[in-house]
Amino acid sequence: MIDFEIDPELQRRLDTYRMVAQQIMRPISREYDENEHARPTEFYEAMWAGSRQGGLQVGAERGGGKSTGRTLFTILAAEELSWGDVGLFLQIPNPGLGGAAVMAAGTPQQKERFLKRFAEGRPKWAAMAITEPGCGSDSAAITTTARRDGDHWVINGTKIFCTSGKMAAELSEGFVVVWATVDKSAGRAGIKPFVVEHHTPGMTVVRVEDKMGIRVSDTAALVFEDCRVPLDNLLGSPEVKPEGGFKDVMATFDATRPIVAAMAIGVGRAALDFVRDFLKQRNIEVRYGLCPQRLSAIERDFMEMEVQLKAARLLAWRAAWLLDNGQRNNLEASMAKAKAGLVVTQITQKAVELLGPLGYSRAYLLEKWMRDAKINDIFEGTQQINLLIIARRILGYSSKELN
Amino acid sequence: MISFELTEEQRMIADTVEAFARDEIRPAARAADEQGLVPAELVGKIWELGLVRGVLPEQFGGDGGQRSSVTGAVAGEALAYGDLAIALHALAPRLAAFPILEMGTDEQRARYLPGFAQAAFRAGSAALMEPRWDFDVLGVAARAARDGAGYVLNGEKCYVPLANESDFLLVYACSEPAAGAVDAFLVPRVCPGMTVGEREKNMGLKALATYGVTFKDCALAAEARLGGERGINFRRLMSQAKVALAAMAVGVSRAALEYARDYARERRAFGVPIGTKQAIAFMLAEMALEVDASRLLVWDAACRLDKGQDAFKESCQAKSYTAAAALKIADNAVQILGGHGYIREHPVEMWLRNARGFATLEGIATV
């Protein structure tokens, strides 16, 4: 039975996240935007503690109780927290994309070995390193290599744009999942994920990027020089076969793209809520049911923003729901991500426009949200890469036929 | 509890109606558009699907099925996927039957509903729109003034489907001085003061017979008011109407997407199918995601209606979004077919003309 209503029990649980967004994230949002590479350590501790008490889980939720699946609950929580501050959301100590890769490609033993640390001890992060200076969207073209040497894999290469890379590699007892090729001649099939533990010799964070937005989130460049990891740190099967390897990268994205969509939607909702309150204070009402000829331009703009955000949200919910129900969601995850990245970029830009000179000012968070929003249109697969995936799926083309 | 799964019954209805739309409606669509006529035989076959009669209570001769806006949206999408004009014609009886079913008095239900529970198609209609550039559902100007025990109806209506073919019309008009209070009146086809004009000539929906209707001091008995002294829930009726049109917009969008997709796989340029070019592939990808987004917005409003919640805002959102999406998707389809898209040999130009109707039209379908 079709139903898109958040029931009261679920809403109560989400209210906790909303409270965190409102009372913990918003008050420090501007501070860590201005002081780009400062570390919000109190925030880390608070989020880590909240997570250990079981009341607040991010990235690896145990599920939403009997009524809501795990992925759906994750994206609902992600929207709430990203409404608070999407950069801070990315910085919450959690298994993150590295954990998602372990979940997607790892054996049960590997999941246990690598993920149980997130239930104990000090705050930790796990990151995923896939992009390189010479390749981004074309992730099959990665040049980082993993060569077998006795009981170890030896990794060499450079990775960039690794979210939480510094936290995972150097500032906590986390790990980085590095995608490297074990056989260049095998193309995509030769690409495998390797878990590189924190402080592994040969892994160096050479830079943390300066960015337009999400400035509190560390975006690291890592160099791997004869970095040795145990054989068992290769996630899944070491066998090079056409069906393996790269498919696992894609499986990771199927799980994470709905979350990125939800992050975008959280930022978009922040902007929309701000504009709504702003208009309300000025007694400007947005009236539904009237024809465009009888509406003001502001009403038309606002309605467009509101419905576009809702469309993106429903697409994201669907992608998550499918995953929770054991169905393939590759197409739907790309739809959600492409739509959310695009519309939230547009919504935040329109919100800045609607507030005139006030919108451009750093006196309000609106301009920050516009800067923050844009990343969602780029990372975890740009809008264009997601459109490409959708197009291949609906046209029935392979990546060779349509690229 | 959030769920994206149709019930088994809804899936069955969707499959049945879609198969019918593909096999029976689509092949008849072009001729219907050119001739301005929906074949009576086809209408009869659609009637047999039970999309009207099926949800009328057994006491009035119907099948007693559960009426649901989500189910109505699913069926409406599938039917319009075949052809919009034919779908609107075939479902027009709902315009009278469903408001009577939901909001009529016992007497009104007993008097009018059995007519829609027959084995043969029975035309029915409602008159909502008015010929003004700034018409909307909150600005109904037709007026039914109280006159003794009854009413006197004055006003001008347009885009009334099957007005000439129906035994009576459900006419929306203000009966109270308060702004926004709209009532519905059951007006017999032959009624002093009522004039059904010439058949309208429109850009699209050429197979659908629509008419302008004028009312000049048209005297109505008290029993003509739908729901009697209780009146109607106009917001709800308009929400249902918007959801119905929005669902049909999804059907048109999906038809255009699939046609353009198949064409892009066949048509070759520069030695390869044009679908392998990003310029075309990206258009199709956006069309596909907009079809899905459109459908989810329709279902969002529809399931609120099924829960008995107010869904006016959600219905407005669904309708405006799907109308814009349908226009854009149909336009893209014409564009992907290039010059061929502009030729009437292909259906996409017809879908573009039809799709433009969604933003303008109100109250010509319901769920």
Side-chain angles (χ1 to χ4, degrees):
Chain A
M1 173 114 71
I2 300 296
D3 188 1
F4 303 155
E5 196 172 22
I6 294 178
D7 58 64
E9 185 233 326
L10 176 58
Q11 188 57 57
R12 267 196 304 280
R13 301 187 56 215
L14 290 173
D15 284 346
T16 315
Y17 291 83
R18 186 167 294 193
M19 209 179 66
V20 169
Q22 231 157 18
Q23 297 177 8
I24 300 180
M25 298 169 98
R26 280 286 176 91
I28 59 170
S29 191
R30 178 60 79 182
E31 180 188 342
Y32 288 96
D33 178 59
E34 303 273 340
N35 305 307
E36 180 154 18
H37 298 293
R39 300 273 152 232
T41 47
E42 275 179 42
F43 172 73
Y44 296 157
E45 296 292 345
M47 297 305 288
W48 186 256
S51 170
R52 300 291 74 69
Q53 285 154 15
L56 199 68
Q57 298 141 22
V58 181
E61 280 74 8
R62 287 179 206 122
K66 58 183 182 299
S67 64
T68 312
R70 174 195 169 109
T71 316
L72 189 55
F73 187 78
T74 300
I75 73 160
L76 289 166
E79 178 184 331
E80 293 300 337
L81 295 173
S82 302
W83 179 90
D85 186 305
V86 69
L88 284 168
F89 170 74
L90 284 167
Q91 271 287 285
I92 293 172
N94 78 100
L97 291 179
V102 173
M103 287 303 290
T107 62
Q109 293 77 13
Q110 287 173 325
K111 287 176 193 172
E112 165 75 12
R113 178 153 73 96
F114 294 121
L115 296 180
K116 78 166 192 280
R117 72 190 72 190
F118 289 96
E120 59 199 31
R122 308 275 308 140
K124 293 176 193 72
W125 289 258
M128 180 148 99
I130 183 162
T131 298
E132 298 180 357
C135 74
S137 295
D138 183 12
S139 40
I142 60 178
T143 59
T144 296
T145 56
R147 175 175 49 84
R148 190 166 169 176
D149 180 23
D151 294 341
H152 288 82
W153 292 101
V154 184
I155 300 172
N156 277 286
T158 302
K159 294 289 183 183
I160 59 169
F161 301 165
C162 175
T163 298
S164 300
K166 176 108 175 155
M167 305 310 297
E170 295 183 350
L171 297 180
S172 78
E173 293 170 350
F175 60 82
V176 180
V177 174
V178 181
W179 294 82
T181 175
V182 295
D183 179 1
K184 264 187 188 167
S185 66
R188 291 174 179 214
I191 297 170
K192 299 284 173 186
F194 299 86
V195 174
V196 182
E197 289 284 357
H198 61 98
H199 297 105
T200 300
M203 173 170 70
T204 320
V205 174
V206 292
R207 188 171 70 246
V208 176
E209 306 286 355
D210 300 331
K211 300 189 298 300
M212 176 189 186
I214 57 161
R215 290 181 176 169
V216 71
S217 166
D218 91 73
T219 306
L222 298 113
V223 169
F224 297 86
E225 278 175 309
D226 291 332
C227 179
R228 299 176 73 84
V229 301
L231 282 189
D232 191 37
N233 280 26
L234 184 154
L235 295 172
S237 162
E239 211 179 321
V240 174
K241 46 182 186 187
E243 284 305 299
F246 202 70
K247 215 177 102 190
D248 296 332
V249 187
M250 292 305 127
T252 309
F253 287 140
D254 290 348
T256 57
R257 280 182 180 144
I259 302 175
V260 177
M263 288 160 52
I265 291 156
V267 181
R269 201 183 86 209
L272 201 64
D273 286 352
F274 186 91
V275 173
R276 183 188 289 108
D277 290 347
F278 192 90
L279 295 178
K280 204 170 174 186
Q281 284 160 18
R282 280 148 194 84
N283 295 316
I284 298 169
E285 194 193 344
V286 177
R287 300 162 298 168
Y288 278 89
L290 294 176
C291 61
Q293 292 88 328
R294 298 209 283 157
L295 290 168
S296 70
I298 287 179
E299 282 175 292
R300 293 182 70 171
D301 281 346
F302 189 87
M303 286 174 176
E304 178 67 8
M305 292 156 77
E306 196 172 28
V307 76
Q308 290 290 351
L309 189 72
K310 185 169 162 183
R313 182 184 289 120
L314 291 173
L315 287 170
W317 286 12
R318 180 180 64 165
W321 183 88
L322 286 170
L323 203 62
D324 285 337
N325 286 272
Q327 298 176 42
R328 194 174 177 204
N329 76 337
N330 171 261
L331 171 68
E332 292 80 3
S334 280
M335 283 184 172
K337 168 67 171 70
K339 179 75 176 171
L342 172 66
V343 305
V344 170
T345 299
Q346 290 170 339
I347 286 167
T348 52
Q349 290 176 5
K350 179 58 84 175
V352 167
E353 177 193 320
L354 286 181
L355 261 76
L358 304 182
Y360 199 68
S361 165
R362 283 191 294 178
Y364 297 102
L365 287 169
L366 213 46
E367 63 82 28
K368 176 183 180 295
W369 294 330
M370 185 189 123
R371 289 184 285 110
D372 288 349
K374 187 60 199 172
I375 191 59
N376 297 290
D377 209 11
I378 299 170
F379 67 8
E380 291 288 288
T382 60
Q383 184 196 139
Q384 287 68 27
I385 283 299
N386 282 294
L387 290 178
L388 204 52
I389 292 167
I390 298 165
R392 282 177 193 149
R393 288 293 307 277
I394 62 166
L395 283 156
Y397 288 144
S398 66
S399 51
K400 271 209 185 74
E401 290 167 305
L402 175 57
N403 53 52
Chain B
M1 179 176 154
I2 293 168
S3 168
F4 287 78
E5 200 162 37
L6 291 169
T7 63
E8 202 167 317
E9 189 199 355
Q10 286 165 342
R11 274 204 308 276
M12 207 180 70
I13 289 172
D15 292 346
T16 309
V17 178
E18 184 168 326
F20 183 88
R22 197 186 302 272
D23 301 340
E24 306 273 347
I25 299 180
R26 186 74 65 81
R30 176 56 81 178
D33 186 72
E34 297 284 337
Q35 293 160 16
L37 184 75
V38 181
E41 195 198 348
L42 179 59
V43 174
K45 280 189 186 171
I46 301 174
W47 185 257
E48 285 168 18
L49 294 172
L51 297 174
V52 179
R53 202 182 52 196
V55 295
L56 297 181
E58 286 169 7
Q59 66 183 112
F60 303 122
D63 300 335
Q66 177 76 34
R67 185 176 161 216
S68 145
S69 292
V70 173
T71 309
V74 166
E77 177 188 332
L79 216 52
Y81 172 77
D83 183 72
L84 179 61
I86 295 172
L88 286 167
H89 180 118
L91 297 180
R94 285 181 169 187
L95 292 169
F98 284 7
I100 293 170
L101 171 65
E102 188 169 347
M103 295 173 194
T105 61
D106 289 344
E107 293 76 20
Q108 287 165 339
R109 286 153 57 100
R111 179 173 167 194
Y112 291 101
L113 292 183
F116 295 107
Q118 308 298 311
F121 176 81
R122 171 76 64 104
S125 188
L128 171 72
M129 294 190 70
E130 299 173 355
R132 285 197 313 278
W133 80 297
D134 61 349
F135 172 82
D136 55 49
V137 301
L138 300 182
V140 172
R143 184 149 165 72
R146 278 188 195 265
D147 180 38
Y151 300 88
V152 174
L153 180 62
N154 278 288
E156 200 178 342
K157 296 290 181 182
C158 62
Y159 294 111
V160 186
L162 312 191
N164 215 22
E165 292 81 357
S166 302
D167 299 332
F168 68 95
L169 297 178
L170 191 68
V171 181
Y172 291 95
C174 301
S175 62
E176 305 293 340
V182 177
D183 268 296
F185 296 86
L186 296 151
V187 183
R189 168 65 187 84
V190 179
C191 178
M194 173 171 124
T195 314
V196 176
E198 291 288 297
R199 186 170 159 176
E200 291 166 343
K201 292 175 180 167
N202 302 316
M203 176 193 201
L205 300 175
K206 288 158 73 178
L208 179 70
T210 68
Y211 303 84
V213 183
T214 53
F215 302 92
K216 189 157 173 34
D217 295 331
C218 186
L220 303 172
E223 302 85 67
R225 181 175 168 184
L226 187 61
E229 280 308 301
R230 194 179 66 236
I232 57 169
N233 183 344
F234 181 65
R235 267 171 83 86
R236 184 166 169 86
L237 289 178
M238 290 303 103
S239 303
Q240 291 162 335
K242 284 172 183 290
V243 165
L245 272 179
M248 290 181 170
V250 181
V252 173
S253 295
R254 188 153 62 86
L257 162 68
E258 291 181 8
Y259 198 90
R261 177 201 64 194
D262 293 347
Y263 184 88
R265 287 176 52 81
E266 292 294 320
R267 173 75 179 181
R268 297 176 76 87
F270 310 105
V272 292
I274 61 171
T276 63
K277 300 286 185 193
Q278 286 190 355
I280 302 298
F282 279 17
M283 282 168 88
L284 288 165
E286 281 180 45
M287 290 155 76
L289 87 79
E290 290 303 337
V291 167
D292 283 14
S294 294
R295 183 182 300 111
L296 295 178
L297 286 166
V298 171
W299 287 358
D300 174 63
C303 73
R304 284 186 67 90
L305 284 169
D306 281 347
K307 290 180 182 184
Q309 297 166 339
D310 184 89
F312 189 68
K313 176 180 168 181
E314 290 76 11
S315 307
C316 290
Q317 287 181 319
K319 180 162 180 295
S320 66
Y321 192 95
T322 55
L327 185 61
K328 177 71 181 156
I329 289 167
D331 186 67
N332 278 353
V334 171
Q335 192 69 26
I336 288 170
L337 267 73
H340 295 280
Y342 202 71
I343 305 292
R344 295 217 299 273
E345 185 192 339
H346 290 283
V348 287
E349 65 81 30
M350 178 173 74
W351 292 338
L352 176 54
R353 288 185 287 109
N354 287 350
R356 182 55 194 84
F358 289 115
T360 302
L361 299 168
E362 295 277 3
I364 61 163
T366 195
V367 284

